[in-house]
Structure formats: C-alpha cells, structure tokens
C-alpha cells in the first residue's frame, strides 16, 4: 500500500470509528443514523483500477502548474462545499459549474469511446482484446463528497479511451490525428473541468452581503464576477449542494 492509499484509509477509519452502535428501528433511529453517517456507512471499501500511466498521473499528481489531479480537485471542492454550506452564493455557483463541467466532459469522452470503438470494429475483422495492464494496482477511494467520485469516474473513462486508442495503434489502425494528440485533447478537457475548483476564491461573502452590496460583496464581484439572481434566491443549485446553515 502506498502512502497516499494509507493516508486515505486512515482518514476513512477515523470517520468510521470502531464503536459498536445499537439502534432501535421502532424509533426511526436507523434512518437517522444513515442520514447522518451515509458517507461512511454506504460508501466503504470502494476501489477501482487504472491501466494507463497517464490516467494514474491525472489521479495522483496532475500538472503541478494547474493543480489538476483528482486528489487536489477533491480537496478544493471540499472547501467550496463548506463555503456553500455557510451561504456563499459564489460557492453555490462554482459547485454548479463544476458539476456541469464534469458531466459534460464525461459525456464527450464516452462519445469518443463509442466512436473509436465502432471505427476499430469496421477496420479489422479478427478478434482482439484491448491492451490493458496485466497486474493493475487497485486504488482505494475515500471521498467525503460525490464530486470526488465523479472526478474519479471521469478519469476511469479517460483511462478506457487511452487504452482503446493505444490498442488500435498497436493493431496498425490510424486515425485522422495521432493517438498522442487525441489523448492530449481529452486530457486537456479534464484539466479544464478540474480548473473550475481553482477559480473560486474564498471571500467569506454571504447572500445577505450581496444584497447589501457591502465590501465583501464588492471584493467577491471583483474576483469572480456577478451572481445570477437564481443563484441568490437558491432556485438554482448543484445536485450535490449542501444544506445551507445560517
């Protein structure tokens, strides 16, 4: 087990604890417990594998310049989520942008996988198997928020695309662009999606500050622009936005 996996497992163990809990179902205590501890009760022992080195790179390290790894992204989104919980409308705005970016990028990569898979099947007539790592090391996933799992799932799709394209090249199939360029294009799309987490700025602003147009609101506007009325009124929020505590 590498240091990252161990640290994440230790963190999960701290969340889960080892206390034996007895619940009285007649009092509805089980449902209350699940609602309070759903992340540690329902999401446990989750792992996945990445076959390509570039996908593992995006998961663990990413670009130092862009802070584009999944682990860094998940950490940043956690800060935004906490700010949204404290009634920061900009945090709500960026959670929505992040959700949309992850969803759209996933859709684009899945479409590419389908396109190139169909193209390969037309080009060759013999039975073949995608080139995969013979002994991939499972990566354990411990994220507090759904956004971390969304990002990991996106990297898994990217990994599938990478393996598909390099397998095709091994079989002598050519595309309109080099495999390296095709991989880089999708990788850049992922970095762009993750970058939304870095664009949010901590200002401690609240919806009331924006309504009053005080100094906090002016600073937030200078750094991140305007917030749509639907965000301010809470009519529009990300699917995994937190409950606001004021």
């Amino acid at each position: 087990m590498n240091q990252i996996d161990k640290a994440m497992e230790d963190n999960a163990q701290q969340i889960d604890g080892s206390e034996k809990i007895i619940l009285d179902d007649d009092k509805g205590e089980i449902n209350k417990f699940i609602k309070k501890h759903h992340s540690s009760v329902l999401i446990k022992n989750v792992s996945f594998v990445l076959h390509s080195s570039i996908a593992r790179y995006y998961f663990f390290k990413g670009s130092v310049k862009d802070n584009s790894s999944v682990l860094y992204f998940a950490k940043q989104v956690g800060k935004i989520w906490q700010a949204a919980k404290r009634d920061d409308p900009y945090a709500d705005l960026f959670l929505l942008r992040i959700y949309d970016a992850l969803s759209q990028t996933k859709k684009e990569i899945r479409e590419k996988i389908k396109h190139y898979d169909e193209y390969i099947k037309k080009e060759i007539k013999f039975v073949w198997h995608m080139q995969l790592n013979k002994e991939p090391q499972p990566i354990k996933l411990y994220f507090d928020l759904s956004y971390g799992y969304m990002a990991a799932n996106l990297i898994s799709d990217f990994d599938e695309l990478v393996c598909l394209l390099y397998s095709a090249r091994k079989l002598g199939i050519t595309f309109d662009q080099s495999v390296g360029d095709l991989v880089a294009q999708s990788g850049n799309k992922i970095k762009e999606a993750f970058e939304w987490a870095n664009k949010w700025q901590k200002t401690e602003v609240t919806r009331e500050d924006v309504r009053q147009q005080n100094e906090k609101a002016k600073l937030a506007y200078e750094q991140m622009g305007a917030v749509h009325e639907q965000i301010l009124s809470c009519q529009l929020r990300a699917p995994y936005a937190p409950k606001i505590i004021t």
Side-chain angles (χ1 to χ4, degrees):
M1 178 183 296
N2 60 43
Q3 292 183 344
I4 294 177
D5 282 349
K6 186 178 186 304
M8 295 176 78
E9 183 174 23
D10 290 344
N11 180 62
Q13 289 175 350
Q14 290 173 7
I15 294 174
D16 292 345
S18 57
E19 179 183 1
K20 183 176 181 181
I21 301 174
I22 300 175
L23 301 174
D24 185 351
D25 193 29
D26 291 336
K27 297 180 180 179
E29 292 181 2
I30 291 179
N31 284 336
K32 291 179 182 179
F33 180 81
I34 290 176
K35 287 181 179 179
K36 182 177 180 181
H37 301 282
H38 67 280
S39 62
S40 58
V41 174
L42 301 181
I43 307 299
K44 188 176 181 181
N45 297 326
V46 178
S47 65
F48 76 150
V49 296
L50 296 173
H51 296 274
S52 65
S53 58
I54 187 171
R56 292 181 68 87
Y57 171 81
Y58 271 103
F59 184 86
F60 288 110
K61 295 182 179 179
S63 170
V64 175
K65 179 181 177 181
D66 301 326
N67 291 321
S68 56
S69 74
V70 171
L71 298 183
Y72 185 86
F73 167 81
K75 179 180 178 181
Q76 289 300 104
V77 173
K79 296 177 182 178
I80 300 172
W81 195 87
Q82 289 295 333
K85 190 176 181 180
R86 296 190 294 270
D87 201 26
D88 180 343
Y90 285 91
D92 256 344
L93 172 62
F94 276 84
L95 285 181
L96 185 61
R97 287 176 173 172
I98 288 167
Y99 176 86
D100 287 344
L102 292 176
S103 300
Q104 182 60 33
T105 305
K106 178 180 178 62
K107 179 181 177 182
E108 292 177 5
I109 290 179
R110 292 309 311 175
E111 288 175 349
K112 287 184 177 181
I113 291 172
K114 180 180 179 181
H115 169 75
Y116 289 115
D117 183 53
E118 291 176 351
Y119 177 78
I120 294 169
K121 289 177 179 177
K122 290 179 181 178
E123 290 294 307
I124 59 175
K125 304 303 179 184
F126 46 82
V127 177
W128 67 284
H129 298 284
M130 193 156 55
Q131 187 176 351
L132 301 174
N133 189 332
K134 293 182 179 180
E135 296 181 357
Q137 295 298 315
I139 301 171
K140 293 184 178 181
L141 301 179
Y142 299 105
F143 295 116
D144 291 331
L145 303 175
S146 300
Y147 299 96
Y149 291 100
M150 287 183 70
N153 195 23
L154 177 58
I155 294 298
S156 180
D157 288 332
F158 175 64
D159 183 55
E160 183 179 348
L161 176 63
V162 171
C163 292
L164 179 65
L165 291 173
Y166 277 102
S167 295
R169 190 176 73 170
K170 187 77 171 180
L171 294 170
I173 297 173
T174 58
F175 304 103
D176 54 346
Q177 300 179 63
S178 70
V179 169
D181 286 344
L182 293 173
V183 169
Q185 288 170 12
S186 292
N188 288 334
K189 284 290 186 179
I190 291 173
K191 287 197 292 184
E192 289 175 8
F194 289 176
E195 181 61 22
W196 281 113
N198 295 326
K199 292 181 179 179
W200 174 79
Q201 300 293 319
K202 183 179 180 180
T203 60
E204 303 291 349
V205 70
T206 66
R207 284 175 171 80
E208 185 60 30
D209 292 325
V210 175
R211 294 187 186 99
Q212 294 180 7
Q213 282 299 294
N214 58 25
E215 291 302 316
K216 284 185 179 181
K218 292 177 182 178
L219 176 61
Y221 177 80
E222 290 175 1
Q223 294 183 344
M224 294 174 284
V227 178
H228 196 277
E229 180 58 36
Q230 285 185 305
I231 298 290
L232 290 175
S233 64
C234 295
Q235 292 180 353
L236 185 61
R237 304 191 76 204
Y240 305 125
K243 180 180 179 181
I244 297 173
I245 299 176
T246 59

